[in-house]
Amino acid sequence: MSYQTLEISTLTPHIGAEVHGVDLSKPLSNEQFSELYQAWLDWKVLVFRDQHLDREHHKAFARRFGRLHVHPMQHSYGGDPEILTVKTTQASRYTAGDGWHTDVTCDEIPPLGSMLYIKETPECGGGDTLFADMYRAYDMLSDRMKSMLEGLVAVHDGAQPYLGAYGVAPPGGTAYPKNEHPVIVTHPETGKKILYVNSGFTTRIKDLNPWESRMLLNGLFHFIESTVQLTCRVRWEPNTLTFWDNRCTQHHAVWDYYPHSRYGERVSIVGELRPAA
Ligand code: SIN
């Protein structure tokens, strides 16, 4: 993987890369954009340091990849519907994303990617984000497990994190999205297979007895959270933007900095296709 217009330094040999020499507040040339797009597919998680962006810059960069997403919990934040604020202080009851998940898989078409721009980091360190490579997770399963999971469909329910974990009720008279996706999906652009269940949203596997579904999901979640070879770790500095391919990764925002604060803004891009086998 070599690029003409970008300089890349990798975080691990399979997931995560820092991109140097790009100013995201300026329009990208077509050549730069197509190389960035390729680097994003190659490395799944791209980290851009020392970016000075206002909300319009952030959204303009995201719009190069597609339409902007409105988060199902947006009613509880107010403000710009296309910006999800990620704010944790001493007074917070929870921090967004503090557990392994893929963003908003309760949607019929989950975001294809998210861009988180961190402006304030905890003064004593901490607040890193871990990312896991779900191609690699699939590849590490045994052939017998792969064939057992192939063809199964799982339920992804927004009520589990948003209501259950965060305690935020949906807007009056509505329910959070709940949708079904295959347990093994194929990335629409790379054609590679992905293990597509996450402990944030996936509540059960259809057509199994409840105990069978629980056993299988607990086993897969344990595999994901305990297999450090799947991961890279992004250590934030103020003005870092990280852009992940939400179709083939999971992430975990580590809340290890209480009582200090962390602040960022996330923009996500709506996918065009339902996750498919
Ligand atoms: C999220 O998008 O889940 C939050 C990630 C983070 O705050 O690091």
Side-chain angles (χ1 to χ4, degrees):
M1 297 163 199
S2 68
Y3 312 97
Q4 304 305 311
T5 63
L6 307 175
E7 223 181 287
I8 294 275
S9 49
T10 59
L11 301 185
T12 75
H14 61 99
I15 181 171
E18 291 208 9
V19 182
H20 310 281
V22 176
D23 179 350
L24 299 178
S25 69
K26 305 251 160 48
L28 300 171
S29 68
N30 289 341
E31 196 189 356
Q32 249 181 339
F33 176 73
S34 64
E35 288 211 322
L36 260 188
Y37 199 98
Q38 189 56 51
W40 176 62
L41 294 178
D42 293 340
W43 293 101
K44 306 142 203 116
V45 177
L46 297 182
V47 181
F48 302 83
R49 301 283 181 196
D50 200 24
Q51 299 294 324
H52 297 274
L53 308 176
D54 62 24
R55 289 180 163 186
E56 290 314 312
H57 294 133
H58 190 172
K59 293 201 290 184
F61 178 47
R63 276 200 194 97
R64 295 284 313 249
F65 296 82
R67 279 184 302 122
L68 303 190
H69 178 255
V70 177
H71 195 277
M73 271 178 62
Q74 204 276 332
H75 65 284
S76 72
Y77 308 116
D80 186 329
E82 294 168 336
I83 302 262
L84 174 76
T85 52
V86 175
K87 178 177 180 181
T88 305
T89 67
Q90 185 170 9
S92 298
R93 281 182 297 113
Y94 66 88
T95 192
D98 181 19
W100 283 106
H101 68 287
T102 300
D103 290 334
V104 204
T105 57
C106 56
D107 276 2
E108 184 181 3
I109 304 184
L112 63 82
S114 293
M115 296 180 175
L116 178 61
Y117 180 47
I118 290 284
K119 297 188 182 180
E120 182 188 335
T121 52
E123 64 194 57
C124 296
D128 297 350
T129 305
L130 308 177
F131 290 88
D133 176 347
M134 300 312 293
Y135 295 131
R136 180 172 269 223
Y138 173 81
D139 291 341
M140 286 174 75
L141 298 172
S142 65
D143 289 342
R144 290 294 284 266
M145 181 55 81
K146 285 178 183 154
S147 40
M148 188 169 86
L149 297 178
E150 208 71 62
L152 291 176
V153 170
V155 177
H156 296 240
D157 189 350
Q160 173 164 276
Y162 306 144
L163 186 58
Y166 301 165
V168 177
T174 67
Y176 285 118
K178 182 173 175 177
N179 281 284
E180 297 174 1
H181 305 298
V183 171
I184 304 297
V185 301
T186 302
H187 194 288
E189 296 184 84
T190 65
K192 292 198 276 186
K193 291 197 176 188
I194 298 157
L195 174 60
Y196 199 70
V197 290
N198 69 87
S199 61
F201 292 95
T202 314
T203 52
R204 73 186 167 86
I205 298 180
K206 289 177 68 180
D207 303 325
L208 299 183
N209 292 323
W211 73 266
E212 294 170 329
S213 161
R214 198 68 262 152
M215 175 188 67
L216 199 47
L217 285 176
N218 284 349
L220 292 169
F221 297 158
H222 176 71
F223 163 57
I224 294 161
E225 71 195 27
S226 63
T227 308
V228 290
Q229 304 94 304
L230 299 176
T231 67
C232 70
R233 186 170 187 121
V234 173
R235 182 149 294 148
W236 299 92
E237 291 158 9
N239 305 319
T240 300
L241 182 141
T242 297
F243 177 30
W244 57 92
D245 186 339
N246 195 53
R247 299 164 294 187
C248 57
T249 59
Q250 297 196 9
H251 55 284
H252 181 161
V254 183
W255 191 10
D256 55 357
Y257 49 89
Y258 180 87
H260 301 289
S261 304
R262 178 176 179 270
Y263 180 80
E265 296 181 349
R266 193 182 91 190
V267 174
S268 295
I269 302 128
V270 184
E272 296 298 332
L273 301 168
R274 289 194 69 138

